[in-house]
Amino acid sequence: MSRSAIRVGLTLLMIFALSWRALADDFTLTGRVVDANGQAVTGAKVSVEGSAFANTDGSGKFQLQLSKKITKIKEVRVLKANMRVENFDYQTDANSLTITMMPAPHFFQGQVLDQGSNPLAGVPVAIEGVSLVSTTDFRGFFAITLPSNLRVSKSTKFKISDAEIGPDKITVNEKYNFVLIAGLPVPGQAKAAPAPVAETTSVAVPPAGMVNVTVYDDAYAPLAGITFVVDGKTYVTNAKGQFVIGTEAVDVSKFSATGYLIATFDFDSAGNYVFIVVRSEGEAPTGPPVREPLDSLVLDYRGDFYEVINQLELRKQELAEKGDKIRQQMELIATKLGTSSANLKPQQRQNLTNYLKNLEDALIANDLAYEQAAEKSQTIVQKLKSTILEKDQTIEEVEEKRQANLRLLYIIAGVALLGLALAFAYSRIAKKIARQKQEIERQHKDLQQAYNQIKIISNTGQKITATLDFRNLVATVNQNLMNLIDSTVFGVGVVNEADQKIEFLDFIENGQKQTYHSEQMDDKRRFSVWSIKNQKEVIINDLATEWKKYLSVPNYTVPAEMPQSLIYLPLLREQRAIGVVTVQSNRKHAYSEMDVKILQALASYIAIALDNSNAYEIIKRRNKDITDSIRYAQTIQDAILPAPRLMQEILGENFVIFRPRDLVSGDFYWLNRVTPMSPMYNEEAALASAQAGERVYFALVDCTGHGVPGGFMSLVANHLLSEIVEIKRIQDPAQILEMLDLRVREALKQYEKVNDDGMDIALCQMARLMDDQGRPTGQTRIVFAGARRSLYYYQRSQTKLEVLKGDRASVGGLQRKTVAFTNHEITLQAGDTFYVLSDGMADQNNAERQKFSTRRLRDLLEANAELSLAKQKELLDTALDQHLQGTQQRDDITIIGVKL
C-alpha cells in the first residue's frame, strides 16, 4: 500500500473519530420538578452542574442541553419564589432527573397579654405541630421557627403554660405573620416582668398589638432622645433610638418629630418594627417622606447609568467617527454627580467605575479608527513607491532603447547612400526620446515629492493623534509643517462655547510663541469667525484684493503688517466646528491647491487630537472625583467597624489584621453586647447557662467579592446582623445564621432571580461564667456557629491548636438543599486564645503562584500561641509580607485573635 493511500485512510479515520465524539458529547437531560405532594411546580428555573437555566412547563417538565453525558449529579439549582430544593433523584439509565421542592422555612412572632392588656413575661408558648417551645420576654413577645409547610391561622391551636387557648382570645395578622393572644389570667408562678432600663414612651402599651419604632439619622445611626408625636400621643426614643406604639398607628401621616423632618418611613415584612430616617429641619427639604422597601436602603442610580451605558454600547460601531459623544455622555454624568455627589453610595461608585471603563473602551475604539486611517495612508504610500519603481524601470527601458538606436545609427552612418536620411531620422527620434525622458524625470520628481509629503503628513498625523496635551499638539504640528508649506504664522484656535469666542492658546509667528489672544464669535471682521460659522475654508493669496470674498463689512482696511497669503480651515467633528487652524505667509500667492490639501489632511488629525485632548482632561477630572468618592466610602465602612477601644473593653486583649484588597473591603467584623439590663436579654436563657453574666456576640464575615461590591454587601450584612439580634431578639447562634440566610435571600431576591451573592461567617456567643455568689469563675463559655468558616482555639493546658469546623454552607447564594446550621459549645480558661479568620491569607499566592495554605497558617498560629497577641500579630504580618514578595493581593485578608 502506498504512503499516500495510508495518509488518506488515517485522515478519514480521524474525521470519523472527531465526528463520533462530537455527536457523543451532545447530551440532553430531561426532568421534572414537583412539590412534596407530587404536584407539578411550574415557572421554575432549573440548572444542573452549572448549566444554563431552563424553565419548567405546565407539567413541571424541563430539558437541559449539556456538553457531555453525566453519570452522577452533585449540584442542582432551582429558582422558585417561596420554595427550596428538598431532594432530587437521577435515573442514569433513563437520563431523567426528578426534583422535589419544599416551602421555604419562616419565623413567626407574637405577643401574650393578660386580662388588663399587660404583657405576660416568662411564659412558655407552644403551637400544635411544632416541637419547639418559645418563652415570652418582658414585653410578652415570642418568636418560633415554623415548619416550611405550616401557616398560622385563626384555627391554629396555641398552648400557654400547657393550657390550650380558645379562639376568642387569639387575633392573627397573616399579612405580617403576627399573632396577639390577650385576656389571659396571670399565672401564680410567673415572675414579675423586669422594668426596662429607660421608658421609651409616655403612653401605655396598646391592647391591639405592639410595633417597635427605630429612628435613625441620614447616616443610619440610631437617634436617642428625639420627641415624636404619633396620632396625638407623645413618645421619646431611648438609647437605641426606639419607642413602642400600637399597630393601628403605623401611618406616616400620623408621625411628626420635634426639630426634624421625616425623610424615609417604612415597616419591615414581618410587621414587628417601623424604620424612620430623619434630617434636621435646617437642611434643605427633600420632599415628603415616601414608603420604600427596606431591602433598597441604598439609593439605586443604576437605571440612569445603565441607560447611558446601553446608548454607548449601541453606538460603539460609530465611536471611531463620533468621539464627541464621549464628552456628551460625560457631561450627563457630571450633571448627575453635581446634584447628588454628597449622597453617593458604594453601588453608585461601582456604576461610575463601570461607566468609566466603557468610556475608556470608547477612546480605544477611536484610536483604532485613527490607526486604520494611518494604515490607509501607508497603503497609499506603498502604492506611490510601486509607481516610482515602475517609472524608474521605464526610464531604464528608454535609456536602453536610446543606446540601441545609437548603435543602429553608427551602423547606418557607415552606409554612405543612406547617411543623410538616417541622420535626419535619428535627429527626430533623439529629440522625441529626450522630451520623453524629461517628462518622465519630471513625473518622477513630482511623485517623489508627493511621496515625501505624504510620508511627512502620515508621520505627523500619528504624532498628533498620540498627543493629549494641547500645547504639545501645536508645537508638534508647527515643527513638521515648515517642511511642507510656507508657514510664517501658524495657530490653532479652540471654540469656547460658554464665552462665545475663539481662543488661540499658542499662536506661533516666525517660530516664536505669541501671547494668548482670542477673537469674539460676533466679530464679522475676522476670517476665523467666517470659517467656523460657514464651516468652509478661507483661501487668500492676495489679501488686498481677495478679502471681499469672505468679509461683507464696510471700510475694511488691510493692516500693513498683516500677511498677504493666508488659509483658515475649520476643525470639524460630527458636523460641528470645534476650532480652526490657520497658516499665513508674508508673500503673495504663497499657497497652491496642493498646499490646501496638505493642510486639510493635517486638519483632520488636529481635530481628532483636539477632541481626544478634551476627552482626556474630562476623564482625568472624573477619575479623580470617583477615586475621592471611593475614599469617602472607605471612611464610611471604617465607621461601622467596632472601634479598638470598644474591642479592648468588651473582648479584652486582642489583635486585628485587616487588609482590604482595595480601598473598601468585603470582609468586616461585628460586635454586640447583651447585658442583663438590655431590653433584648432573655432571663431564662441566662439562668440555663450556668449563671452566665452578659453575653457578647462577635462575628467575622467574608462577603462575596471585594472593593465596592464587597463593601456594599458588608453594609447589608452588618445591618441585618444588628436587626436580628437587637430587634428580632434571636440569640441562638445557629438560629441567627438561619435568619440571616433567609433575610439575605429576601433582600437580594434570590428566590426569584439568578444571584449568587452571599457570605461566609464565623459567629460566637461568649458568656463569662459566674459562681453561685455571682463572682467570675475565670471560665468563658463560647457557643459557635459557622457558615464555611471555622473557629480555632488554643488551650494552654493542652498546648495544641484545635478547630471547631463550621457547616459546609454559605449564607445566601443560589438555591440549594435546606441546611440547618449547627451550634458547637466549648468552655475556655483564662489565658486561652481563640482565632477567627477569612480565607484571604490562606488563598494568597506568591510570585511562583504558590498559596500560603491553611495548613501553614494553622501551624504558624499554633507555634506562636504562647506569645503575646501583639507579637503574634507582628509575626503574622511579617510572614504575609515575605510570602507576597511584591505580588498583588488577590482578596481581602482578616485575622482576629482574642486572649481570654
Side-chain angles (χ1 to χ4, degrees):
M1 182 180 295
S2 65
R3 292 183 178 180
S4 60
I6 294 174
R7 285 198 295 268
V8 171
L10 291 175
T11 302
L12 293 175
L13 181 60
M14 185 179 296
I15 293 173
F16 173 77
L18 291 174
S19 302
W20 176 84
R21 182 173 182 179
L23 292 174
D25 285 347
D26 189 11
F27 174 66
T28 301
L29 175 67
T30 60
R32 189 166 184 257
V33 180
V34 298
D35 59 17
N37 298 321
Q39 299 298 315
V41 176
T42 63
K45 296 183 177 180
V46 183
S47 172
V48 176
E49 301 296 334
S51 69
F53 282 89
N55 295 326
T56 59
D57 59 15
S59 302
K61 295 180 179 180
F62 63 90
Q63 280 191 349
L64 289 172
Q65 296 296 325
L66 304 179
S67 59
K68 63 180 180 179
K69 184 174 183 179
I70 54 177
T71 57
K72 185 177 181 180
I73 295 178
K74 297 180 180 179
E75 181 184 67
V76 172
R77 295 179 176 179
V78 181
L79 299 182
K80 180 64 178 179
N82 302 320
M83 300 190 79
R84 284 187 172 184
V85 175
E86 182 176 18
N87 55 58
F88 57 85
D89 179 32
Y90 177 49
Q91 300 294 329
T92 308
D93 53 349
N95 297 330
S96 177
L97 175 64
T98 302
I99 304 172
T100 304
M101 305 291 290
M102 61 180 293
H106 60 285
F107 286 80
F108 190 84
Q109 296 179 322
Q111 187 183 31
V112 181
L113 305 177
D114 61 16
Q115 294 172 340
S117 298
N118 298 311
L120 286 177
V123 297
V125 180
I127 299 177
E128 184 181 33
V130 179
S131 59
L132 295 177
V133 177
S134 179
T135 304
T136 60
D137 62 11
F138 75 96
R139 289 195 179 96
F141 283 100
F142 65 90
I144 296 180
T145 302
L146 297 181
S148 56
N149 58 350
L150 179 59
R151 291 291 183 271
V152 174
S153 64
K154 185 74 174 178
S155 61
T156 303
K157 295 182 179 180
F158 287 84
K159 286 186 178 182
I160 307 296
S161 299
D162 296 329
E164 187 170 325
I165 306 303
D168 58 322
K169 293 182 172 57
I170 299 174
T171 302
V172 177
N173 189 328
E174 297 184 8
K175 179 179 180 181
Y176 297 112
N177 223 19
F178 189 86
V179 63
L180 177 68
I181 304 175
L184 301 183
V186 180
Q189 70 279 14
K191 299 179 182 180
V197 176
E199 186 61 33
T200 61
T201 174
S202 60
V203 182
V205 178
M210 306 298 295
V211 174
N212 193 353
V213 180
T214 306
V215 182
Y216 296 85
D217 60 16
D218 55 1
Y220 299 104
L223 288 177
I226 304 301
T227 302
F228 269 75
V229 177
V230 183
D231 202 13
K233 300 177 183 179
T234 303
Y235 302 85
V236 180
T237 60
N238 64 5
K240 295 289 186 179
Q242 301 173 348
F243 62 93
V244 179
I245 64 172
T247 56
E248 75 283 352
V250 180
D251 187 339
V252 66
S253 63
K254 299 179 180 180
F255 280 67
S256 65
T258 303
Y260 290 88
L261 298 174
I262 299 177
T264 304
F265 181 92
D266 197 14
F267 51 86
D268 72 331
S269 58
N272 66 336
Y273 77 96
V274 171
F275 174 88
I276 296 177
V277 177
V278 299
R279 292 188 175 92
S280 299
E281 287 183 338
E283 297 180 8
T286 59
V290 296
R291 163 72 162 91
E292 56 187 20
L294 292 179
D295 295 336
S296 61
L297 295 181
V298 179
L299 299 179
D300 187 3
Y301 283 89
R302 290 179 300 176
D304 293 334
F305 293 138
Y306 287 165
E307 179 183 358
V308 174
I309 293 171
N310 288 336
Q311 290 174 356
L312 288 175
E313 181 65 16
L314 292 173
R315 293 182 171 182
K316 67 180 181 181
Q317 297 300 326
E318 303 175 2
L319 283 173
E321 297 136 3
K322 298 183 179 180
D324 62 322
K325 294 300 181 182
I326 302 174
R327 295 194 311 279
Q328 294 174 9
Q329 302 302 335
M330 283 186 170
E331 291 304 322
L332 175 61
I333 299 306
T335 301
K336 293 183 181 292
L337 288 174
T339 58
S340 60
S341 61
N343 296 320
L344 288 178
K345 300 299 180 180
Q347 183 62 45
Q348 298 171 258
R349 298 185 185 90
Q350 179 62 36
N351 292 334
L352 289 175
T353 301
N354 292 339
Y355 182 67
L356 179 60
K357 181 63 172 61
N358 278 273
L359 294 179
E360 292 173 348
D361 291 344
L363 281 179
I364 291 173
N366 259 338
D367 291 339
L368 289 176
Y370 307 149
E371 291 175 2
Q372 290 173 359
E375 290 176 0
K376 187 174 181 180
S377 297
Q378 291 296 335
T379 301
I380 297 174
V381 169
Q382 294 301 325
K383 290 183 177 179
L384 286 173
K385 283 183 178 179
S386 300
T387 304
I388 291 171
L389 291 176
E390 291 175 359
K391 293 298 181 181
D392 287 339
Q393 184 176 359
T394 302
I395 292 174
E396 292 176 357
E397 292 175 352
V398 170
E399 182 64 23
E400 291 177 358
K401 184 176 181 181
R402 189 177 70 86
Q403 293 297 332
N405 287 332
L406 285 173
R407 289 194 298 271
L408 180 61
L409 288 174
Y410 290 149
I411 296 173
I412 295 175
V415 181
L417 294 177
L418 299 179
L420 291 176
L422 291 177
F424 178 75
Y426 168 77
S427 177
R428 295 191 61 180
I429 294 173
K431 289 180 180 180
K432 183 177 181 180
I433 291 174
R435 287 195 300 271
Q436 290 178 349
K437 180 180 179 181
Q438 290 175 356
E439 179 65 21
I440 291 173
E441 288 177 346
R442 186 188 64 78
Q443 292 178 0
H444 176 268
K445 183 178 180 180
D446 291 343
L447 289 172
Q448 185 67 45
Q449 183 179 1
Y451 167 74
N452 292 333
Q453 290 176 337
I454 292 174
K455 185 177 181 181
I456 293 174
I457 292 172
S458 177
N459 293 335
T460 303
Q462 293 180 10
K463 293 178 182 178
I464 291 173
T465 54
T467 303
L468 294 177
D469 181 78
F470 178 80
R471 296 183 184 275
N472 290 337
L473 183 151
V474 175
T476 300
V477 176
N478 183 64
Q479 290 171 2
N480 293 272
L481 192 62
M482 62 180 62
N483 297 323
L484 298 173
I485 59 178
D486 185 350
S487 55
T488 306
V489 176
F490 170 74
V492 177
V494 180
V495 176
N496 185 332
E497 297 285 358
D499 297 337
Q500 282 295 293
K501 61 183 180 181
I502 306 170
E503 296 180 321
F504 290 88
L505 302 181
D506 278 334
F507 205 79
I508 298 176
E509 184 172 359
N510 294 321
Q512 300 297 320
K513 292 183 180 179
Q514 305 301 308
T515 58
Y516 163 87
H517 79 277
S518 63
E519 299 175 358
Q520 297 297 324
M521 289 293 293
D522 59 356
D523 189 348
K524 297 181 179 180
R525 305 172 70 85
R526 299 289 186 178
F527 294 107
S528 60
V529 174
W530 189 93
S531 177
I532 288 177
K533 286 190 173 182
N534 293 277
Q535 296 189 10
K536 294 181 179 179
E537 301 89 349
V538 172
I539 304 172
I540 295 177
N541 274 308
D542 185 354
L543 182 61
T545 60
E546 296 180 12
W547 66 267
K548 299 178 182 179
K549 296 180 181 178
Y550 307 101
L551 303 182
S552 300
V553 295
N555 303 323
Y556 180 79
T557 302
V558 178
E561 69 278 4
M562 192 166 181
Q564 298 301 305
S565 298
L566 51 86
I567 300 175
Y568 282 89
L569 295 180
L571 301 176
L572 303 177
R573 296 296 293 164
E574 286 298 316
Q575 306 302 319
R576 183 172 62 89
I578 63 174
V580 65
V581 60
T582 180
V583 292
Q584 302 173 18
S585 173
N586 293 328
R587 297 185 301 108
K588 291 184 178 181
H589 305 288
Y591 301 123
S592 65
E593 183 178 351
M594 178 61 69
D595 295 328
V596 175
K597 292 186 179 299
I598 290 174
L599 193 59
Q600 286 175 337
L602 287 176
S604 299
Y605 287 112
I606 294 172
I608 292 170
L610 185 59
D611 208 18
N612 288 347
S613 177
N614 293 337
Y616 174 71
E617 291 300 325
I618 293 174
I619 288 174
K620 281 203 307 185
R621 186 169 61 253
R622 295 294 178 260
N623 185 53
K624 183 179 181 300
D625 293 342
I626 292 169
T627 303
D628 291 344
S629 299
I630 294 176
R631 290 189 185 280
Y632 184 70
Q634 180 187 24
T635 302
I636 295 174
Q637 187 182 52
D638 289 344
I640 73 170
L641 297 177
R645 179 190 57 78
L646 183 63
M647 293 277 287
Q648 183 70 26
E649 175 186 341
I650 296 178
L651 298 178
E653 184 181 358
N654 67 88
F655 75 79
V656 176
I657 296 176
F658 185 64
R659 293 193 185 186
R661 198 198 82 162
D662 303 309
L663 292 178
V664 290
S665 172
D667 287 1
F668 77 97
Y669 46 99
W670 173 83
L671 183 64
N672 203 309
R673 176 166 55 186
V674 179
T675 66
M677 300 302 292
S678 173
M680 71 280 295
Y681 189 78
N682 188 312
E683 182 179 3
E684 181 175 327
L687 293 174
S689 59
Q691 301 298 327
E694 68 175 17
R695 291 193 298 280
V696 173
Y697 291 87
F698 176 62
L700 185 147
V701 185
D702 182 357
C703 299
T704 300
H706 42 72
V708 173
F712 174 73
M713 285 292 295
S714 71
L715 291 176
V716 173
N718 182 78
H719 172 75
L720 293 178
L721 278 171
S722 298
E723 170 194 311
I724 292 168
V725 174
E726 295 180 7
I727 299 176
K728 293 187 178 294
R729 299 176 296 279
I730 298 173
Q731 299 178 11
D732 178 77
Q735 285 194 7
I736 290 174
L737 294 189
E738 292 176 11
M739 174 58 94
L740 182 62
D741 178 62
L742 179 64
R743 292 290 290 120
V744 167
R745 294 177 188 280
E746 290 176 348
L748 301 181
K749 299 179 175 60
Q750 292 179 337
Y751 291 116
E752 305 172 17
K753 298 181 179 179
V754 179
N755 185 323
D756 207 9
D757 293 332
M759 61 200 69
D760 300 340
I761 180 171
L763 175 64
C764 302
Q765 181 200 75
M766 303 169 56
R768 317 272 186 193
L769 302 185
M770 309 290 180
D771 59 18
D772 295 338
Q773 284 74 39
R775 295 172 299 186
T777 64
Q779 296 179 317
T780 301
R781 178 176 60 84
I782 297 178
V783 180
F784 167 76
R788 300 184 70 88
R789 292 287 93 213
S790 300
L791 174 74
Y792 297 89
Y793 63 95
Y794 180 84
Q795 293 176 296
R796 300 181 66 185
S797 60
Q798 303 295 326
T799 66
K800 184 179 180 182
L801 188 70
E802 302 288 352
V803 60
L804 294 178
K805 293 186 176 181
D807 293 296
R808 295 181 60 82
S810 295
V811 170
L814 289 178
Q815 287 265 25
R816 49 173 169 71
K817 292 183 179 180
T818 302
V819 175
F821 292 100
T822 308
N823 284 330
H824 305 273
E825 183 174 332
I826 57 172
T827 300
L828 300 180
Q829 306 294 327
D832 292 345
T833 309
F834 72 86
Y835 309 88
V836 288
L837 50 145
S838 66
D839 59 0
M841 184 167 177
D843 290 345
Q844 178 62 47
N845 61 282
N846 58 15
E848 287 74 33
R849 306 188 65 81
Q850 296 174 341
K851 291 186 178 181
F852 193 92
S853 81
T854 302
R855 169 57 62 185
R856 180 182 172 189
L857 179 57
R858 181 173 176 177
D859 292 344
L860 189 61
L861 292 174
E862 184 175 72
N864 301 308
E866 295 286 351
L867 303 177
S868 67
L869 291 187
K871 187 63 176 177
Q872 291 185 43
K873 180 179 184 298
E874 178 184 345
L875 293 173
L876 286 169
D877 281 327
T878 301
L880 178 56
D881 292 336
Q882 291 176 349
H883 179 75
L884 283 171
Q885 298 175 351
T887 305
Q888 184 179 5
Q889 187 173 326
R890 62 184 298 175
D891 197 2
D892 302 318
I893 297 175
T894 306
I895 303 175
I896 300 177
V898 178
K899 179 170 288 188
L900 302 174

